[in-house]
Amino acid sequence: MLYEELGGHATVERLVQCFYDRVYEDDVLRPLFPPDRTHVEHAQIKFLTQLTGGPKQYDSYDPRLNLAMIHRLLPIQHTHALRWIELMTLTIKETVPDPYARDRLTERLQIGAANVLRICEAHQSE
Ligand code: HEM
């Protein structure tokens, strides 16, 4: 399971904290995010745990964990997606010790970010 290869809960938690430290300092991404980062962090830890095959969450089906549902109405553009990927890639490099697990996670999240952008652009042009 990718989850264990990454380093389990400790790594996922550290990764998410470091990532949002960057996001909330970032001029491009910060304006998109709610002032209170606690909820976003918890939701992201749950999401990444599920995505990488970690232990089932108690509320095992939460439709908000669907990427399209979460982001569809946000004004996300190309520059936001690029910055998101840049900060996430940097954070993964710093927090995931295993190079193979690191590459797999980076690749998955890059695909995820491309999907988010596609969904938002489709909605903006409706
Ligand atoms: C194109 C790149 C992305 C951008 C710009 C972006 C932006 C955002 C923003 C602004 C929020 C906060 C929404 C709000 O509460 O008002 C959010 C929430 C979230 N995003 Fe993303 N996102 C991106 C990609 C991703 C990807 C690839 C994932 C999956 C790994 C993801 C997972 C989440 C989760 C789990 C939440 C919290 C949802 C909740 O509140 O329950 N995002 N994102």
Side-chain angles (χ1 to χ4, degrees):
M1 242 7 138
L2 181 55
Y3 182 76
E4 274 93 38
E5 289 161 23
L6 288 171
H9 183 71
T11 304
V12 171
E13 197 175 54
R14 190 148 28 89
L15 191 157
V16 168
Q17 271 163 12
C18 295
F19 177 65
Y20 287 110
D21 282 349
R22 290 206 159 98
V23 166
Y24 276 79
E25 288 288 317
D26 187 79
D27 292 344
V28 174
L29 291 177
R30 172 73 188 83
L32 290 177
F33 281 81
D36 175 14
R37 61 184 263 188
T38 318
H39 170 80
V40 180
E41 276 193 27
H42 283 146
Q44 187 62 272
I45 290 171
K46 266 185 9 188
F47 191 94
L48 289 181
T49 301
Q50 283 202 345
L51 183 82
T52 56
K56 267 246 163 296
Q57 309 296 300
Y58 292 115
D59 42 353
S60 66
Y61 185 66
D62 177 354
R64 289 181 318 135
L65 293 180
N66 179 302
L67 278 188
M69 288 281 285
I70 296 167
H71 300 90
R72 199 171 59 92
L73 301 176
L74 296 171
I76 291 174
Q77 300 193 343
H78 203 78
T79 43
H80 302 118
L82 284 181
R83 184 58 63 86
W84 194 99
I85 290 171
E86 188 189 334
L87 298 186
M88 183 51 92
T89 304
L90 210 64
T91 309
I92 292 172
K93 261 197 200 129
E94 259 180 30
T95 52
V96 177
D98 180 78
Y100 181 60
R102 192 191 294 160
D103 288 352
R104 278 169 66 204
L105 183 65
T106 306
E107 195 180 315
R108 279 210 202 170
L109 294 183
Q110 283 175 351
I111 294 168
N115 285 335
V116 165
L117 178 62
R118 193 172 42 77
I119 289 154
C120 294
E121 282 182 341
H123 187 259
Q124 285 155 22
S125 64
E126 264 169 21

